[in-house]
Amino acid sequence: MEHQLPPNLRPDEASPEWMNKGDNAWQLTAATLVALQSMPGLVILYGGMVKKKWAINSSLMAVYAFAVTLVCWMGWGYRMAFGDKLVAFWGKPAVALDDSFLLGQAFIGYFPTATMVWFQFGFAAYYAGSDRRGVAREDEFCGVDDVCAVMAYVLLYGRGVQCVEPEGVAGEDGSH
């Protein structure tokens, strides 16, 4: 007797043969939990570290860091960290919003690249948002140097991942 998957887990036109719906659901859940915990955590941390009159400003700086990181991550950060190599240690910058890119299989796992982009964004945003030097300058908000700092953190996060795993998270053949 051959075992078959329940109808809701079988591949169809909305989910390709290579995608595992359970893996995709868990990856999206884990990434969302990271993002949902990180931003309020940073807001509470930075709002509590400064004088009362600067609490709102410092809290909004954490929100701002997440927003700017999302723009940088989708604009060029993800593909610089996990895309085609420009040189041995740096990827080619490219926008990660192309549907043919986002709907293809991720370089690791049985889920689409869109899921991996969201998952890695949660960690990149936390990394960029945990910049403590913004608290010391509580009278400034949304300065050009803050945008540059977030862009640098996005690059550093991608480089950190590449240093730990030289081929991204997986090897060229998808193995660990």
Side-chain angles (χ1 to χ4, degrees):
M1 181 171 150
E2 186 178 318
H3 295 285
Q4 289 189 354
L5 290 171
N8 62 330
L9 293 178
R10 290 186 198 141
D12 55 16
E13 64 276 351
S15 64
E17 191 72 32
W18 51 260
M19 188 169 93
N20 182 317
K21 292 179 182 179
D23 285 357
N24 191 39
W26 172 245
Q27 194 77 4
L28 287 170
T29 301
T32 302
L33 289 174
V34 167
L36 286 175
Q37 293 175 37
S38 298
M39 190 175 356
L42 290 172
V43 165
I44 291 168
L45 173 72
Y46 291 138
M49 287 176 73
V50 297
K51 292 187 263 181
K52 194 182 236 182
K53 70 178 186 175
W54 297 113
I56 298 292
N57 184 33
S58 295
S59 298
L60 286 175
M61 287 175 72
V63 174
Y64 163 74
F66 263 67
V68 171
T69 303
L70 179 62
V71 171
C72 293
W73 193 246
M74 296 306 292
W76 47 266
Y78 179 81
R79 286 216 170 159
M80 283 190 83
F82 299 102
D84 299 329
K85 300 275 189 236
L86 182 62
V87 294
F89 58 90
W90 209 265
K92 293 178 185 174
V95 176
L97 293 173
D98 182 16
D99 63 345
S100 63
F101 174 73
L102 288 176
L103 298 178
Q105 184 176 6
F107 60 88
I108 185 173
Y110 299 104
F111 40 81
T113 303
T115 302
M116 182 59 80
V117 171
W118 171 243
F119 180 77
Q120 292 294 338
F121 160 72
F123 293 101
Y126 177 77
Y127 187 63
S130 61
D131 173 21
R132 293 200 177 124
R133 70 177 186 82
V135 176
R137 296 176 13 255
E138 60 255 346
D139 58 334
E140 283 186 34
F141 183 67
C142 298
V144 173
D145 56 333
D146 292 326
V147 174
C148 292
V150 168
M151 291 169 67
Y153 279 116
V154 168
L155 284 175
L156 289 172
Y157 173 78
R159 272 307 307 137
V161 171
Q162 293 293 329
C163 290
V164 173
E165 301 280 348
E167 300 296 334
V169 178
E172 290 293 325
D173 61 351
S175 64
H176 294 284

